[in-house]
Amino acid sequence: MTVMGKSLDTAALKKLARFLAVGGSSALAYGLVCTALVHVFPESRAAVSVGVHACLIPPAYLGQRWFTFRSAGNAAAEFSKYAMLQLVSIAASTWLLIHLVTGSPLVNLAVFLIIAATAAVISFAICNALVFVSPSAERGDRIEPAGVGPAN
């Protein structure tokens, strides 16, 4: 398998699996907490959604930093970039959902799944290339963009 012209090795595939595990856990927590809170506060669905998203950014960041990317970079800088990435992703996904939702539940499900999958792939690439960039040379499991890296 290749990404951006590079072959994915076992370490890179494991990193991707860890990324999806952290993101999936966060999505599950989001769904469960939102479901519970919307049941209690049905008139505040938008506020519940935004509030739960905001509350889940720090634990998701820590999971990605420690478990997925095993970063030794500047935590404050990484958190700022990660939080901004999440906010942009949430805004873009919401905008797309608002504009692509139809009257058909099956079409809506397909739209949601396509948007979620696309957002996950883009988020992984941005986190790997821009957010969790450790200055240490021991990070041999990085997936470098084509044309970038020590050999070029």
Side-chain angles (χ1 to χ4, degrees):
M1 178 180 214
T2 61
V3 172
M4 295 186 268
K6 296 282 185 169
S7 176
L8 286 179
D9 59 9
T10 303
L13 289 173
K14 286 180 181 177
K15 183 192 290 186
L16 179 59
R18 291 189 308 262
F19 178 84
L20 294 173
V22 171
S25 298
S26 183
L28 179 61
Y30 170 79
L32 293 172
V33 173
C34 280
T35 299
L37 290 176
V38 165
H39 182 72
V40 176
F41 305 106
E43 68 286 345
S44 303
R45 290 176 293 206
V48 164
S49 177
V50 170
V52 172
H53 265 299
C55 288
L56 288 173
I57 289 174
Y61 159 76
L62 292 173
Q64 298 297 11
R65 176 178 166 82
W66 295 334
F67 181 64
T68 303
F69 294 96
R70 300 172 181 174
S71 178
N74 180 306
E78 288 178 349
F79 180 76
S80 296
K81 291 186 273 186
Y82 183 83
M84 184 60 65
L85 172 62
Q86 295 309 305
L87 294 173
V88 169
S89 178
I90 292 164
S93 296
T94 301
W95 186 88
L96 286 169
L97 283 171
I98 289 169
H99 290 86
L100 297 177
V101 164
T102 69
S104 167
L106 287 177
V107 171
N108 291 344
L109 177 61
V111 166
F112 173 75
L113 292 174
I114 290 167
I115 290 171
T118 303
V121 168
I122 292 169
S123 181
F124 177 76
I126 292 172
C127 282
N128 193 66
L130 301 173
V131 175
F132 297 103
V133 182
S134 176
S136 119
E138 295 90 30
R139 302 238 1 244
D141 62 340
R142 281 199 83 64
I143 302 171
E144 298 292 346
V148 176
N152 294 325

